[in-house]
Amino acid sequence: MQEEEAYLNKVIQTINDQIANYELEITKQKEEKNLSKFQITDSYYELDQEEMSRHKVDIDESEKVIDLMKKDKTRLERQVNKPYFARIDFDSDSEKQKIYIGLGVVRGNGNSYVFDWRAPISSLYYDYDVGPASYSCEEGNIAGNISLKRQYAIENQKLKYYIDTKETINDEILQEVLSNNTSSKMREIVSTIQKEQNKLIRYDGNKNILVQGVAGSGKTSIALHRAGYLLYKNNEFSNKDIFILSPSNLFSNYISNVLPELGEENVIETPFMTIAKTELDKKVQTRDVFVDDLVTHKSNAKLSASAYKSSFDFVNDLKYFLENIYPKTFRAKDLSFSTPDSKEPLFLFTKDEMEKLFFETYKDLPVYKRISYMAEYLVERFHLRKKEFNPVKERFASFLYNFFPSTDLQKILNLFYSIHNIEENDSNFYSYDDIPALLIIKEYLFGLKVNIPTKYLIIDEVQDFTPAHFYLINKLWDCPKLLLGDINQCIEKNLTPTYLQMLAEYTNSELITLNKTYRSTKEISEFCQRIIGLKGVQNMSRSGEKPDIIKTENQVKAIKTLMFENAYKYKHIAVICKSSSEVNELYKELSKDIDIHKIQDSDSNFDFRFIITTPTTSKGIEFDYVIIPNADDKNYKDLLDRNLLYIASTRALHKLTLLHTNNLSNFVK
């Protein structure tokens, strides 16, 4: 113990020395930068162009150096309280090494006291037990033997204890981490990354990856730690080169701390709905409202239409319609162009000429490209100056679009629906399940404005995306992708392993399955899995209370009592209702005596002791204690209800209670 404490103190002192050195260097760089600025200002008329450029280069370089030092200083300040979490003793042919592993590297006096968890040699800790092991690096494959694996519990620069283990991640350390109360922000998990998670985080191929992971398998953590790994490994990657397509603003806020904790800047992140709103010209229905409508106004027609819109057939049918049916509605007329002074037209763009260009010359192109090329063809006849070219081209393009009976996106989609016996949308907003189709139509007719260049794309909650979404995504981002989701957490439709295989082929992805769950206690996990009949899941051995099923005549009173009784023990307690109408009804009563917050899909924060929300909004988030009201056989009776009940139940980490007044739901029985 003394030897380990001495090493810890040496590392802490090294970190503090580096922080102090950074402070001095940053001050020095700022002074040099200010001096260069002063020289430019003071001698502005005396400096020649070369000297001026040299001073500007010096200023730019100083700013870059300052930014890098500030970033590393911040990382060290975060790391100093827990400099490392593990050690391996690795004996290879060339040397014997004691490798301490932490959030980032700690160097001093020519030594590496701590290795970054993303370094090649650190993979030994995650991938191997004690015994033969190897890792790949620039020098090639290094083989050897792990003689010691040690895990540390360090808090506020003090060594609480350490454990020697033969296993990859000792169960005692993992259980201690998992038993903690939740935070309103997701945290880094570098000390408890599992072997199957590490494989995905460090994946070095260029192929897309599709991850099917059960609830609590760490999918989102894998995605964010993979982003951190790519930023560490690839010098050509910056935080602007990785893009996360997230489910909601609430989810975006929830994950916002992970990369900064890893010492990296946050990457670009946007919900798909934000992109849709910028592209479409009318109010867009949110997913929460759409699901809520399905739940409260169920009909076979709605569910059947939703299933069709979520199918591969739908994409193929829509593509056929756009490429073969809609273009035939183009009805050209002769266009003549003249000036106010001329009696005869300067030239005539005939109907036959236009139809030949549209239906023959450019027939294999989407409509927006056909129109663009035809407009260019027109403009070139005028021999305009460069600055006049684009305005006139846009004017001609608007003439050509007028030859369609309609370019209204909803009317075109309704025409497609009429062919396939789907109910048309005549509301003053775009329906949520129509959004991908509307964007496909817009892309074909006008092109899309969205432009987020990226080298790596991450999509979470892929079960909420449809093949139509992925058709668009493949058009917009031609780069490697990491797709993560859980078919068991899809609400409005039932997805199968066959669908997963089809999606893997459609997105050219390698399909990887994660069947071990780490989120909830064993009792809660097993309870949730019985709701949907899920088999073959490995549950953590972390034990806790069995879920409570309470029959009560007064659910409002029961919820208040449960909240008050458990407030001292749990940081985040959530009441998860089936629908927003149920949320509103309960919130009205609960808020009279409790400081409870209603969380909706438009919100970006849930950092409150007591909240009330729906399964759709809470998906991807976790809470210490979950209370599910109205768990009776009238409220939760069909497959759609079952999916909602499953998602609500899987949000609970430590405690779960279901309340009912009438007969208990058969899914719970």
Side-chain angles (χ1 to χ4, degrees), residues 436-484:
L438 291 162
L439 290 174
I440 288 173
I441 293 170
K442 186 182 178 188
E443 193 275 334
Y444 189 77
L445 258 67
F446 303 106
L448 297 175
K449 295 177 289 186
V450 60
N451 181 26
I452 307 174
T454 183
K455 294 178 181 176
Y456 200 83
L457 179 67
I458 296 171
I459 306 176
D460 207 348
E461 304 288 356
V462 297
Q463 72 277 1
D464 293 342
F465 290 78
T466 66
H469 284 100
F470 287 108
Y471 174 81
L472 274 170
I473 287 164
N474 287 337
K475 286 232 172 212
L476 293 171
W477 294 289
D478 182 21
C479 64
K481 301 173 183 69
L482 174 61
L483 318 172
L484 310 104

Side-chain angles (χ1 to χ4, degrees), residues 190-289:
V190 293
S191 62
T192 58
I193 291 171
Q194 303 295 293
K195 184 176 181 178
E196 73 275 11
Q197 296 171 335
N198 188 54
K199 179 183 176 183
L200 286 166
I201 289 168
R202 294 175 187 263
Y203 181 81
D204 282 334
N206 285 323
K207 193 171 184 180
N208 299 333
I209 310 171
L210 173 60
V211 179
Q212 158 57 31
V214 295
S217 55
K219 297 181 292 295
T220 305
S221 291
I222 289 169
L224 294 166
H225 286 71
R226 174 146 181 77
Y229 174 75
L230 290 172
L231 291 169
Y232 169 86
K233 185 175 182 291
N234 298 303
N235 292 329
E236 67 272 19
F237 268 60
S238 77
N239 65 309
K240 295 178 182 177
D241 293 321
I242 299 175
F243 177 43
I244 298 177
L245 204 56
S246 73
S248 66
N249 291 325
L250 189 70
F251 182 85
S252 301
N253 186 270
Y254 178 54
I255 66 173
S256 61
N257 267 15
V258 176
L259 283 170
E261 283 186 350
L262 297 176
E264 302 291 349
E265 295 177 52
N266 269 321
V267 298
I268 300 171
E269 181 280 321
T270 303
F272 184 84
M273 285 297 290
T274 301
I275 293 173
K277 287 174 184 175
T278 60
E279 290 288 346
L280 300 174
D281 56 357
K282 203 159 59 177
K283 185 179 176 182
V284 174
Q285 184 187 42
T286 65
R287 175 168 173 76
D288 268 28
V289 173

Side-chain angles (χ1 to χ4, degrees), residues 407-661:
T407 54
D408 181 275
L409 301 181
Q410 187 66 66
K411 287 181 180 178
I412 295 168
L413 183 57
N414 284 344
L415 174 61
F416 170 75
Y417 284 160
S418 68
I419 296 170
H420 292 274
N421 298 315
I422 301 293
E423 185 179 351
E424 299 173 12
N425 179 17
D426 57 0
S427 60
N428 61 350
F429 60 85
Y430 290 131
S431 175
Y432 170 82
D433 60 345
D434 285 345
I435 289 170
L438 291 162
L439 290 174
I440 288 173
I441 293 170
K442 186 182 178 188
E443 193 275 334
Y444 189 77
L445 258 67
F446 303 106
L448 297 175
K449 295 177 289 186
V450 60
N451 181 26
I452 307 174
T454 183
K455 294 178 181 176
Y456 200 83
L457 179 67
I458 296 171
I459 306 176
D460 207 348
E461 304 288 356
V462 297
Q463 72 277 1
D464 293 342
F465 290 78
T466 66
H469 284 100
F470 287 108
Y471 174 81
L472 274 170
I473 287 164
N474 287 337
K475 286 232 172 212
L476 293 171
W477 294 289
D478 182 21
C479 64
K481 301 173 183 69
L482 174 61
L483 318 172
L484 310 104
D486 179 14
I487 56 174
N488 303 301
Q489 294 185 65
C490 189
I491 295 174
E492 68 273 26
K493 52 191 179 291
N494 288 308
L495 302 178
T496 65
T498 301
Y499 171 82
L500 273 178
Q501 292 290 346
M502 292 172 70
L503 183 60
E505 290 176 19
Y506 193 71
T507 56
N508 190 29
S509 301
E510 178 182 350
L511 177 59
I512 295 175
T513 302
L514 301 176
N515 279 327
K516 190 168 184 179
T517 178
Y518 303 95
R519 176 186 292 144
S520 309
T521 62
K522 184 179 180 183
E523 290 77 6
I524 292 174
S525 294
E526 290 176 346
F527 174 85
C528 296
Q529 288 147 25
R530 284 196 296 272
I531 290 174
I532 60 170
L534 186 59
K535 307 288 185 182
V537 178
Q538 285 182 272
N539 296 306
M540 268 294 295
S541 57
R542 181 171 72 91
S543 291
E545 300 177 43
K546 287 185 177 181
D548 290 324
I549 300 169
I550 301 172
K551 187 170 185 178
T552 174
E553 293 301 317
N554 191 331
Q555 295 199 43
V556 172
K557 183 179 178 182
I559 292 170
K560 289 178 182 178
T561 301
L562 290 167
M563 284 184 158
F564 287 134
E565 286 177 349
N566 290 278
Y568 74 96
K569 188 176 180 181
Y570 299 117
K571 188 175 179 182
H572 291 104
I573 299 177
V575 178
I576 303 183
C577 303
K578 176 181 162 183
S579 64
S580 60
S581 57
E582 193 177 305
V583 166
N584 293 333
E585 186 179 327
L586 269 175
Y587 175 76
K588 185 178 178 181
E589 295 301 319
L590 292 172
S591 59
K592 292 176 182 177
D593 302 306
I594 296 177
D595 184 20
I596 190 167
H597 293 262
K598 184 165 56 174
I599 305 299
Q600 298 168 311
D601 68 328
S602 57
D603 293 324
S604 60
N605 183 31
F606 69 98
D607 192 13
F608 308 105
R609 175 58 59 92
F610 305 123
I611 74 163
I612 185 166
T613 188
T614 64
T616 315
T617 299
S618 63
K619 191 188 289 189
I621 315 296
E622 53 193 33
F623 307 98
D624 299 308
Y625 178 24
V626 168
I627 301 168
I628 301 174
N630 300 312
D632 57 60
D633 59 359
K634 290 184 179 178
N635 205 30
Y636 291 98
K637 60 184 178 181
D638 57 30
L639 293 180
L640 181 60
D641 301 331
R642 184 195 67 174
N643 295 344
L644 291 165
L645 184 62
Y646 173 73
I647 292 168
S649 301
T650 56
R651 301 306 96 203
L653 268 74
H654 312 304
K655 187 175 175 66
L656 173 64
T657 298
L658 287 82
L659 301 173
H660 67 107
T661 300

